[in-house]
């Protein structure tokens, strides 16, 4: 905590770094295990190849609907595809 003295004003600055959990996924791992290209998975899921690429690189978190679609495609529960990773 830092206190700054400005004439007629006292400002207290308090900072706590909060880092929310990150959603990570195994989409790329499961796709490769199935022997599919990004394009083939995209067609099966009804999305673009670019969306698959972004999901695999953890740049985009898919909607619940798409997560459930992946679950059906890979025949495994969503919690085996996606999980929360808490920052250290």
């Amino acid at each position: 905590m830092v206190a700054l003295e400005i004439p007629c004003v006292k400002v207290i600055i308090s900072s706590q770094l909060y880092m929310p959990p990150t959603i990570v996924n195994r989409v790329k791992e499961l796709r490769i295990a199935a022997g599919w290209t990004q394009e083939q998975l995209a067609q099966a899921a009804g999305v673009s190849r670019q969306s698959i690429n972004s999901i695999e690189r953890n740049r985009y978190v898919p909607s619940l609907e798409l997560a459930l679609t992946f679950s059906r495609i890979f025949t495994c529960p969503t919690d085996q595809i996606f999980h929360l990773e808490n920052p250290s």
Side-chain angles (χ1 to χ4, degrees):
M1 186 175 327
V2 177
L4 300 175
E5 292 290 335
I6 301 174
C8 301
V9 178
K10 183 174 185 178
V11 178
I12 298 176
I13 301 171
S14 178
S15 175
Q16 292 183 349
L17 181 60
Y18 172 71
M19 296 182 69
T22 302
I23 298 175
V24 294
N25 70 74
R26 296 177 53 223
V27 173
K28 183 175 183 177
E29 173 189 342
L30 294 168
R31 175 182 61 78
I32 290 171
W36 294 346
T37 64
Q38 287 183 342
E39 184 64 36
Q40 289 169 321
L41 178 56
Q43 288 177 354
V47 297
S48 69
R49 184 201 57 78
Q50 290 84 355
S51 292
I52 298 298
N53 183 276
S54 292
I55 292 166
E56 289 183 352
R57 296 177 67 158
N58 290 311
R59 291 184 173 179
Y60 168 70
V61 177
S63 66
L64 177 58
E65 180 181 2
L66 185 51
L68 293 171
T69 299
F70 284 141
S71 177
R72 189 173 57 241
I73 290 169
F74 294 127
T75 61
C76 65
T78 54
D79 64 346
Q80 289 183 13
I81 303 171
F82 302 94
H83 69 274
L84 289 175
E85 186 176 86
N86 289 316
S88 308

